[in-house]
Amino acid sequence: MRIIRNIFNLGCISIELGILLICFCNVWVFGLTNGRTYTKISKIPPREIALVLGTSPKMRSGQSNPYFTKRMDAAALLYHHGKIKKIIVSGEKSKGYNEPAAMKNYLVNQEGVPEDIIIEDPKGFNTYKSILRCKDVYKKKNVIIVSQGYHNLRALFFARNNDMNALGFDAQDVTKPESFYRNQAREILARVIAVVYFILGVSPD
């Protein structure tokens, strides 16, 4: 019985430590990015360029991905209101799949954004790579990051820790329960990984 009790106590302690770690990491991310995300176009200060984080343009059903279209709407809104001069569309490009090209095509043909102000980044395979390439490859530090709000917090965490003068403009979220709660839960854990990697000095490639 003593062994079982010890195992049970150890399990409870592990769960408590895990919850504390999740809370600590998320509070850190929220604290570092506090006041740097915007939902209203009238409130956000202008920046040189917008960095639009990629996602699949289509869902498995073949229908348009609302996360994708809302991000394009937000990026176009920034441009048409004179908040930015250029746009980097960053995402994955692989055989038969090209997020940046789809993003550019949508912005030009659906949103009326001039083609010559859009830069395609085909190697934004994840959030961290998109942020780092914006700074190191395209030499842009004064940026507005465009994604849904839950994602922008982690993106800004990466940007702030890489000495970028970044703001976040939150695209409209998708409120379908099956996607909303899944993405929120996944992002809570992703923030923990981001903080742990930062503390350890490891690149989250």
Side-chain angles (χ1 to χ4, degrees), residues 135-151:
K135 177 190 173 187
D136 294 341
V137 176
Y138 300 102
K139 309 300 180 184
K140 304 299 182 183
K141 296 176 66 175
N142 298 312
V143 301
I144 297 174
I145 301 170
V146 179
S147 187
Q148 272 70 31
Y150 68 87
H151 186 202

Side-chain angles (χ1 to χ4, degrees), residues 19-108:
I19 293 173
L20 285 174
L21 178 63
I22 291 172
C23 292
F24 168 75
C25 292
N26 277 268
V27 167
W28 187 349
V29 171
F30 275 96
L32 189 66
T33 60
N34 184 44
R36 302 190 70 86
T37 59
Y38 296 82
T39 57
K40 294 183 178 180
I41 192 67
S42 61
K43 299 293 185 180
I44 189 166
R47 285 288 188 269
E48 177 187 359
I49 198 162
L51 172 65
V52 189
L53 300 177
T55 188
S56 175
K58 300 287 185 182
M59 298 188 296
R60 291 181 180 178
S61 63
Q63 295 181 321
S64 295
N65 180 359
Y67 289 95
F68 175 91
T69 56
K70 296 303 182 184
R71 291 183 197 184
M72 299 309 105
D73 291 345
L77 194 64
L78 287 169
Y79 172 75
H80 290 307
H81 279 77
K83 298 293 184 174
I84 54 168
K85 296 179 180 178
K86 290 185 178 293
I87 299 173
I88 296 175
V89 288
S90 181
E92 179 184 347
K93 179 182 179 182
S94 55
K95 186 176 181 180
Y97 184 79
N98 193 333
E99 286 179 359
M103 295 161 78
K104 182 176 181 178
N105 180 67
Y106 193 97
L107 286 170
V108 172

Side-chain angles (χ1 to χ4, degrees), residues 126-142:
N126 57 43
T127 304
Y128 184 74
K129 283 187 177 295
S130 292
I131 298 296
L132 208 59
R133 285 176 59 80
C134 180
K135 177 190 173 187
D136 294 341
V137 176
Y138 300 102
K139 309 300 180 184
K140 304 299 182 183
K141 296 176 66 175
N142 298 312

